[in-house]
Amino acid sequence: MGVGSWPSVADALDRAGVERPRAFTHPVVFRRCVSCQQVNVVREGDFVCVFCDGALPSGWNIDR
């Protein structure tokens, strides 16, 4: 589930009658490293794998 999933999350919370914020309070960006397959949290826009120093893709790739 990426940062762009907020509309779906908000809709589900609204239907459940749960009070919610207007957006994610702290969006977290995840990417899977294509070299070592580890899931990373992208920090400060640095798309580099913390496990192997490989480049992380700019687009969402966790579902793959």
Side-chain angles (χ1 to χ4, degrees):
M1 181 177 290
V3 175
S5 66
W6 177 252
S8 297
V9 173
D11 182 54
L13 293 172
D14 290 344
R15 283 185 282 118
V18 176
E19 189 175 330
R20 63 172 176 81
R22 286 195 263 172
F24 286 125
T25 54
H26 181 75
V28 178
V29 176
F30 295 94
R31 294 294 184 271
R32 182 179 305 281
C33 178
V34 295
S35 297
C36 72
Q37 298 301 307
Q38 293 295 319
V39 174
N40 289 256
V41 173
V42 176
R43 301 180 192 277
E44 299 180 14
D46 190 16
F47 285 78
V48 176
C49 178
V50 297
F51 300 97
C52 75
D53 287 330
L56 298 174
S58 60
W60 175 256
N61 71 336
I62 300 297
D63 294 337
R64 297 180 195 149

